[in-house]
Amino acid sequence: MGVTKEILREGQGSRPMPGNTVTVHCTGYGKDRDLSQKFWSTKDPGQAPFSFTIGQGQVIKGWDEGVLNMNLGEIARLHCSPDYAYGSGGFPAWGIQPNSELVFEIEVLAVR
């Protein structure tokens, strides 16, 4: 279990460290247990890039560990097992069922 990363575009910048604030574009897949069904994207109308402090538990474990291993400018697909996603509670508001595997396509836009 955990998170696996597939690089879609190599990054050329620095790699974030715990405590850094990262800004990302993200699209999440896995609505109703279908990994081809999008449940959320920062690129949707009315949405914006998402920022969080890495390694502080502000996001799911798959993001904390997966983005920590990405470089500035990198685009990657993170495949998260349920224990690295929303676990037994799921996220019903977004159609994420309990114990769902999820896939996130993430682009690291900034590291501060």
Side-chain angles (χ1 to χ4, degrees), residues 7-35:
I7 297 173
L8 304 177
R9 183 185 78 198
E10 295 282 344
Q12 301 301 318
S14 61
R15 185 169 280 192
M17 298 181 64
N20 286 153
T21 297
V22 294
T23 302
V24 300
H25 262 312
C26 177
T27 302
Y29 298 91
K31 184 175 183 175
D32 296 324
R33 298 193 194 278
D34 182 346
L35 293 178

Side-chain angles (χ1 to χ4, degrees), residues 7-71:
I7 297 173
L8 304 177
R9 183 185 78 198
E10 295 282 344
Q12 301 301 318
S14 61
R15 185 169 280 192
M17 298 181 64
N20 286 153
T21 297
V22 294
T23 302
V24 300
H25 262 312
C26 177
T27 302
Y29 298 91
K31 184 175 183 175
D32 296 324
R33 298 193 194 278
D34 182 346
L35 293 178
S36 69
Q37 292 294 312
K38 177 180 78 169
F39 60 81
W40 172 74
S41 179
T42 58
K43 296 179 180 182
D44 286 343
Q47 296 293 314
F50 181 77
S51 296
F52 65 98
T53 304
I54 200 160
Q56 303 296 309
Q58 294 178 348
V59 293
I60 61 171
K61 191 172 184 178
W63 277 37
D64 258 345
E65 290 190 15
V67 175
L68 195 59
N69 292 306
M70 294 177 69
N71 293 325

Side-chain angles (χ1 to χ4, degrees), residues 74-112:
E74 183 176 319
I75 300 174
R77 190 170 290 126
L78 301 180
H79 188 125
C80 301
S81 62
D83 56 323
Y84 275 62
Y86 292 99
S88 61
F91 197 114
W94 285 353
I96 300 170
Q97 303 299 315
N99 298 311
S100 291
E101 291 186 13
L102 299 176
V103 172
F104 296 93
E105 187 171 307
I106 296 179
E107 177 180 8
V108 179
L109 301 172
V111 176
R112 314 186 292 289

